[in-house]
Amino acid sequence: MKNHILFVDDERSILSSIKRAFRKTPLNILTTDSVEEALELIESKTISVLVSDYTMPGSTGADLLEKAKAIRPEMTRIILSGNGDQEATVESINRGAASRFLAKPWDDAQLINEITDAVSEWKKRVFLDTEKNLLNHTSFLEIVDGKISAKSAENYALAYFGFHDFERIQDRIGRVKIVEFMKHIVPASMNVDACVALGALDTHRYCALVSLSESCVDVESEVRELVDQFPLSTEFDDQKIKFSYDIGFVAVDSVNTTASSLLEKSITAYRHSCDLNGQTVIEYKACMDERKNSLNALENGLDAALSDNEFVLYYQPKINANDGSVHGAEALIRWNSKELGLVQPNDFIPIIERDKAIIDVGQWVLGEAAQQWMSWYGVLDENSTVSVNVSPKQLQDNTFIKRLETVLTETGIKASNLELEITESLMMEDIWKTISMLKDIKSLGVMLSIDDFGTGYSSLSHLSLMPVDLLKIDRSFISPMSESKESRNLVNNLIRMGHDLGVEIVAEGVEDENQLNILKEYGCDFIQGYYYSPPVPAEEFTKLVGQFEVSRVESELVGFRAAG
Ligand code: C2E
Ligand code: CA
Ligand code: CA
C-alpha cells in the first residue's frame, strides 16, 4: 500500500525546496498551499505524515491539524514552525493535534531523518505486520472508509476470508506454532496486487478491499484472483498440511455505506461459505441476514443452555436382529429451549462444534447417558450398551481420556456397557494419531463404533488397523435397498467384509419390514430405525423395553408351538 507525506505551506518557495530535498529519497511527497486541498488529499489518499506550516492565510495550521486528526487519527502530524509560533505550537502538541515540531529553517538531512522516523511510527500504528503490509482492524476500516467516500469512479469489493476448518489445522500444528504458520502462508500465497488494502482481523481471518476492473461484470471471479495462487497444501515443520479457504464478499455499490457495515455483510457471506467444503467464494445477499438472525438467536440461547439444564437425551433402541431383543440404546441429544421449543441436534451441534462448547456439552452427554444406563439396571440385559455420539473436537482434546475415566468412576458404569460412536471423517485426519487415541480408549474397555460408515472415504484397510467393535452402516445405503440391487449388494458386501474383520454390524435408519428381512438374510447383527422406534425420552424407553420383551416372548411361544 503506497503512502504519501503531505507538506502544507502557503509559501510556494518553501514547498519547492522541500520537493528538492526529498527528490533522491524513496518517499512519496505531496505538497499544497491550500488548506482545502490538503483536506481533500487527506480524505482520498493514504497519508502517513502530515507536515503543516503554523501560519496559513484564512486558517491556522493548528486548525488543519485538528481536522486531519479527526479524519485520520493514525497519521503522524508535525508542525513546521517559524519564529514567533512557539507558544501556539506547544499548545497544539499539548492538545494532541501534533506530535512534534520542526523549526524553520531546517537542515535537509535532519528533515529527511525526522520524516523517515515519522513514517515508521505510522506503520507501527497501522500495520499488524509491517513487513507484509498487513493492516490492523481499525486501520483497515479507516482506509476503506476513506476509499469509498472519496469521489472517485473506482469500483471495489470487500472480501473476508479465512482457512476452512481452521481448528483442525491449529490442532495439528499446535497453538504455539500456528502464528508462525500463518505468516508462512499469508500473504505470501496471495495475490496482494489484486487488493488495495489487506487487513488481519485475528490469527487466521483476513479482509481485503479489492479494486475491480472498470467494466467488471463478474465480481466473483475478480475476487477469486486474490487466492489464485493459494496452495492446497504445504510442508511445515516436517508435516504436510492440507488446507483450503472460505471467502465471503460484498460489492461496494453505494456511497451511502460504511466500511464496518460492508465488513459485517462480507462476514455473513463468509459464514455461508464455511458451511460448504472449502474453496468457495460466496457473494453476500440480503436474505442471508435472516439466517444470521436465527443463528444469533440459537447462539445466544445456547450459551446458557447447559447451565440452565435445557439439554435432554432421547434414546433409540438397538435391536438384536437374531432374536428381536433390545441390545441397547443410542443416546441422542435435544435442546429443550424456553424460547425456541425442542431443537434438533443437526440445528445446534454444528454451532457448538465451532467453539469449545462441544467439549462441555459432550461431557454432559456422556455422564447423563452412563447414569441413565445405571438406572435401567435390571430392565436392560447386563451386556447391553448405551452408545454416545462423540464429536471429533472432543476426541482431539487432550483431556478426553481423563474425562472418560471420570465418567466411568463417577457413575459406576462398566466400561463394556458404554459405547462411543465416532464418525468416519475423524479417521481420515491423521490416521496414526487416531489409531493411538482409539487404542487408549479401548484400553479402558469402552466399546467403539464407527458411525455413518460408508459416507466418508476411509477404506476397509484403514479399518483393519482400528480397534473398533462395531460398524454402523449409514441410512443412505439402507433406504434404497428395496428398489436397488446395487445398494443391496453394497450392504451385503459391507456386512461380509465387516465380519471378516471381526466387527459387528449395525444398520441405521431401518424403516420397513422389507429392509429388515433383507438385512437379516445378509446376517446383519443389530437394527436401529423407525421400524422399531424413533428416539424417545428415557421414561418412554423403559416402557418400550417392556413391550419389546412381551412381543418377543409371544413370538417365541408362537414359534415353539408351531415347532411342537
Ligand atoms: P446419527 O448419530 O447418525 O443419529 C441417527 C439419526 O438418524 C438421529 O437423528 C435419528 O433420530 C435418526 N434416525 C434414526 N432412525 C431413523 C429412521 O428410521 N429414519 C430416519 N429418517 N431417521 C432415523 P437425530 O437424533 O436428529 O441426530 C442427528 C445427528 O446429530 C446424529 O446423527 C449425530 O450425528 C448428532 N448427534 C445427536 N446427538 C449427539 C450428541 O450427543 N453429541 C454429538 N456430538 N452429536 C450428536
Ligand atoms: Ca450415531
Ligand atoms: Ca449415524
Side-chain angles (χ1 to χ4, degrees):
M1 198 176 62
K2 192 170 174 181
N3 72 84
H4 306 264
I5 293 114
L6 175 62
F7 283 90
V8 189
D9 203 304
D10 58 337
E11 279 180 60
R12 299 240 168 123
S13 59
I14 288 192
L15 295 178
S16 315
S17 48
I18 284 173
K19 274 192 196 157
R20 249 194 326 271
F22 281 91
R23 196 172 293 151
K24 292 218 170 94
T25 71
L27 300 167
N28 307 304
I29 305 296
L30 293 172
T31 60
T32 173
D33 59 357
S34 126
V35 171
E36 289 70 42
E37 197 192 356
L39 287 170
E40 265 170 37
L41 286 168
I42 291 167
E43 295 256 12
S44 61
K45 295 225 177 302
T46 306
I47 310 285
S48 53
V49 184
L50 168 67
V51 187
S52 174
D53 180 22
Y54 192 79
T55 356
M56 303 278 293
S59 164
T60 65
D63 214 28
L64 169 63
L65 292 164
E66 286 286 354
K67 285 183 183 149
K69 180 184 169 188
I71 306 170
R72 296 260 174 273
E74 76 286 355
M75 175 186 340
T76 310
R77 294 171 303 275
I78 298 175
I79 299 176
L80 195 58
S81 70
N83 284 337
D85 300 332
Q86 277 93 341
E87 215 171 288
T89 303
V90 170
E91 209 204 308
S92 284
I93 291 175
N94 286 344
R95 274 204 316 266
S99 57
R100 57 180 168 280
F101 75 96
L102 295 170
K104 285 180 193 167
W106 63 85
D107 165 65
D108 277 356
Q110 197 192 343
L111 179 68
I112 292 169
N113 272 343
E114 289 274 359
I115 299 298
T116 309
D117 286 352
V119 173
S120 29
E121 265 173 43
W122 170 82
K123 281 193 171 166
K124 276 195 201 123
R125 269 196 298 273
V126 165
F127 293 105
L128 203 70
D129 185 333
T130 41
E131 239 171 79
K132 298 191 162 170
N133 279 358
L134 265 185
L135 293 163
N136 60 36
H137 191 177
T138 330
S139 313
F140 177 79
L141 291 181
E142 275 165 8
I143 283 166
V144 172
D145 268 328
K147 293 284 176 198
I148 59 182
S149 62
K151 297 161 200 74
S152 85
E154 256 185 284
N155 289 323
Y156 301 104
L158 195 138
Y160 183 89
F161 57 102
F163 284 76
H164 186 71
D165 202 2
F166 175 74
E167 298 223 335
R168 177 187 57 87
I169 304 174
Q170 177 162 278
D171 286 339
R172 280 203 62 191
I173 293 176
R175 272 161 206 284
V176 179
K177 290 211 167 145
I178 194 75
V179 178
E180 195 191 321
F181 173 74
M182 299 311 290
K183 285 190 175 172
H184 176 72
I185 305 288
V186 177
S189 322
M190 294 184 46
N191 183 0
V192 184
D193 292 342
C195 57
V196 184
L198 180 64
L201 298 195
D202 53 33
T203 42
H204 65 289
R205 279 178 288 223
Y206 306 85
C207 40
L209 187 68
V210 181
S211 170
L212 303 174
S213 64
E214 217 170 288
S215 51
C216 173
V217 278
D218 184 359
V219 183
E220 185 194 312
S221 59
E222 293 202 12
V223 169
R224 213 180 262 280
E225 281 173 22
L226 202 61
V227 285
D228 261 356
Q229 317 291 321
F230 214 73
L232 295 179
S233 69
T234 187
E235 290 285 330
F236 181 80
D237 213 18
D238 293 333
Q239 296 190 75
K240 186 169 181 182
I241 312 284
K242 286 192 202 162
F243 50 85
S244 62
Y245 52 78
D246 301 308
I247 302 185
F249 75 92
V250 57
V252 184
D253 61 352
S254 144
V255 278
N256 298 321
T257 185
T258 62
S260 43
S261 89
L262 289 168
L263 187 61
E264 279 286 317
K265 287 177 177 158
S266 62
I267 291 175
T268 303
Y270 163 80
R271 292 246 163 93
H272 278 252
S273 172
C274 290
D275 290 342
L276 303 169
N277 295 327
Q279 311 271 94
T280 37
V281 178
I282 290 190
E283 180 167 13
Y284 165 81
K285 296 205 177 55
C287 63
M288 291 177 178
D289 287 331
E290 218 169 90
R291 189 186 142 202
K292 189 177 123 191
N293 292 340
S294 65
L295 268 181
N296 279 350
L298 277 177
E299 278 173 25
N300 292 342
L302 275 170
D303 279 345
L306 191 57
S307 53
D308 292 351
N309 287 320
E310 290 186 341
F311 290 120
V312 277
L313 291 185
Y314 276 38
Y315 296 88
Q316 186 176 37
K318 275 196 271 186
I319 306 295
N320 208 315
N322 292 323
D323 62 5
S325 64
V326 178
H327 169 72
E330 174 175 4
L332 292 152
I333 194 169
R334 271 93 185 97
W335 172 28
N336 203 350
S337 156
K338 277 194 261 334
E339 277 83 34
L340 306 162
L342 197 69
V343 187
Q344 299 299 317
N346 287 336
D347 292 329
F348 69 86
I349 293 278
I351 298 175
I352 51 178
E353 266 180 338
R354 260 191 241 144
D355 53 54
K356 299 275 173 191
I358 188 67
I359 293 177
D360 294 331
V361 174
Q363 183 69 12
W364 174 83
V365 175
L366 272 170
E368 177 71 18
Q371 212 166 18
Q372 186 60 59
W373 190 93
M374 291 301 281
S375 80
W376 279 325
Y377 199 84
V379 176
L380 283 179
D381 184 89
E382 62 175 332
N383 294 320
S384 66
T385 58
V386 63
S387 66
V388 170
N389 293 283
V390 180
S391 152
K393 293 257 155 65
Q394 279 174 273
L395 291 166
Q396 283 153 1
D397 183 64
N398 293 333
T399 61
F400 186 73
I401 300 287
K402 267 236 128 56
R403 286 167 176 265
L404 189 57
E405 281 174 323
T406 311
V407 167
L408 296 176
T409 40
E410 283 183 357
T411 61
I413 192 172
K414 229 167 66 190
S416 58
N417 295 127
L418 182 63
E419 179 182 320
L420 304 186
E421 297 193 3
I422 60 175
T423 56
E424 210 189 344
S425 61
L426 173 88
M427 316 191 338
M428 295 311 298
E429 266 306 308
D430 178 341
I431 191 107
W432 299 113
K433 202 169 149 197
T434 306
I435 292 173
S436 113
M437 183 192 56
L438 295 183
K439 282 188 173 155
D440 288 345
I441 295 175
K442 205 55 238 178
S443 70
L444 297 177
V446 171
M447 307 295 275
L448 279 173
S449 66
I450 303 292
D451 206 355
D452 306 335
F453 190 75
T455 56
Y457 304 96
S458 68
S459 64
L460 282 160
S461 63
H462 282 154
L463 204 69
S464 63
L465 304 167
M466 309 263 175
V468 298
D469 306 286
L470 295 113
L471 278 191
K472 300 188 77 173
I473 302 179
D474 193 65
R475 176 159 58 92
S476 56
F477 297 101
I478 307 295
S479 310
M481 267 194 331
S482 300
E483 299 80 47
S484 148
K485 186 161 194 281
E486 217 180 355
S487 302
R488 285 197 295 277
N489 286 343
L490 208 122
V491 170
N492 193 7
N493 280 333
L494 281 177
I495 295 175
R496 223 178 306 139
M497 288 190 281
H499 283 164
D500 286 346
L501 292 168
V503 299
E504 291 186 295
I505 310 290
V506 186
E508 291 189 304
V510 177
E511 293 184 349
D512 59 46
E513 198 166 3
N514 194 26
Q515 293 166 350
L516 174 69
N517 289 333
I518 299 171
L519 289 162
K520 278 184 175 174
E521 186 195 320
Y522 295 162
C524 181
D525 304 282
F526 304 109
I527 308 289
Q528 202 183 329
Y530 292 172
Y531 176 72
Y532 284 111
S533 167
V536 294
E539 318 78 68
E540 272 181 58
F541 186 84
T542 320
K543 287 185 212 148
L544 261 187
V545 177
Q547 287 162 14
F548 280 130
E549 202 43 32
V550 170
S551 57
R552 190 178 68 83
V553 172
E554 275 174 358
S555 68
E556 259 179 20
L557 279 177
V558 171
F560 180 69
R561 282 195 203 112

